[in-house]
Amino acid sequence: MNVTIWNEGIHEELYPKIKEHYPNCIHGTLAEIIGELPQVDNVHIATLEQEGCGLPDEILDKTDVLLWWGHMAHDRVPDELVAKIHHRVLQGMGLMVLHSAHFSKIFIKLMGTSCCLSWKEDTYERLFCVKPSHPIAAGIPSHFELGKEETYGEFFDVPDPDETIFLGWFDSGELFRSGCTWHRGYGKVFYFQPGHETNPTYNHEYIRKIIQNACIWLAPSNTIEYITSPYIEKTLEEIRKTK
Ligand code: ZN
């Protein structure tokens, strides 16, 4: 499996304190999490500052699962690139949308809604697993304490998820659909809320496990080069004749 991790990479440069939790930036920690999976053959890292956002066709075309973390510069991702990623998802590429990437162009395009949510500074978060039979929830307890995390709340303006796997409860009173899936074309999408850059969220054992499970689940189960409606060659009459 080829996995590509896309990180905007700006926060780490502007606020060096983030490197206390993520010495090799957020993408470095995500690469470490994904690199632990025996199913993964290659992990490619791409950032906004790289030529073509680090996602030339030759990388995108062979990516099975793409992870996306962004916040400050969603608008700097070119529309042409977003269109290519969108097409790759429809062809079967899995997409994991992390935390503030709910406002990324690609997520909004795939959802077709505003993807707005209610927001507050850090409070205390507890995550509940509400679909324990889902492969993304394998090995995750009924609930666990995440601790300090940026507060996201409902209403989260997304289409009804195909599956809601995690709910976030915050001690400030908010509730949030923290882990949700959708199918788009031949591809799968997983949105996962935890991961504010100033908190050590991606060092938490259960967060890491969820990201690993999601990566495996998102891997294409069926792919197609061009999205077309296949022509059904045999009429029912012909099939009956051959019987
Ligand atoms: Zn944040």
Side-chain angles (χ1 to χ4, degrees), residues 113-144:
T113 54
S114 74
C115 299
C116 282
L117 45 82
S118 88
W119 171 90
K120 207 180 267 178
E121 297 285 357
D122 286 347
T123 58
Y124 178 97
E125 181 172 12
R126 178 178 293 152
L127 267 173
F128 286 86
C129 176
V130 294
K131 202 168 182 74
S133 61
H134 198 282
I136 295 180
I140 304 301
S142 64
H143 66 277
F144 64 90

Side-chain angles (χ1 to χ4, degrees), residues 16 37 47 88 92 125 153 162 193 205 211 216 224:
L37 288 170
T47 64
R88 285 288 297 127
E125 181 172 12
D162 292 325
Q193 160 262 317
E205 78 169 293
I211 290 171
I216 296 166
I224 193 165

Side-chain angles (χ1 to χ4, degrees), residues 92-164:
M93 183 184 76
L95 179 70
M96 195 185 316
V97 178
L98 296 165
H99 186 59
S100 41
H102 70 92
F103 266 157
S104 60
K105 285 184 183 177
I106 181 60
F107 189 57
I108 291 172
K109 189 174 173 74
L110 284 162
M111 296 296 108
T113 54
S114 74
C115 299
C116 282
L117 45 82
S118 88
W119 171 90
K120 207 180 267 178
E121 297 285 357
D122 286 347
T123 58
Y124 178 97
E125 181 172 12
R126 178 178 293 152
L127 267 173
F128 286 86
C129 176
V130 294
K131 202 168 182 74
S133 61
H134 198 282
I136 295 180
I140 304 301
S142 64
H143 66 277
F144 64 90
E145 310 300 319
L146 181 57
K148 195 168 92 154
E149 183 55 291
E150 187 172 34
T151 312
Y152 280 12
E154 297 289 340
F155 172 58
F156 183 21
D157 182 21
V158 286
D160 286 347
D162 292 325
E163 297 142 323
T164 302

Side-chain angles (χ1 to χ4, degrees), residues 52-104:
C53 292
L55 293 174
D57 291 353
E58 55 269 31
I59 293 292
L60 203 52
D61 289 348
K62 68 176 189 187
T63 296
D64 297 304
V65 178
L66 174 65
L67 280 70
W68 196 273
W69 196 103
H71 178 229
M72 298 173 89
H74 298 308
D75 60 332
R76 285 178 55 197
V77 178
D79 291 341
E80 310 81 71
L81 177 60
V82 176
K84 282 182 185 174
I85 299 169
H86 182 254
H87 183 66
R88 285 288 297 127
V89 172
L90 298 185
Q91 285 179 318
M93 183 184 76
L95 179 70
M96 195 185 316
V97 178
L98 296 165
H99 186 59
S100 41
H102 70 92
F103 266 157
S104 60

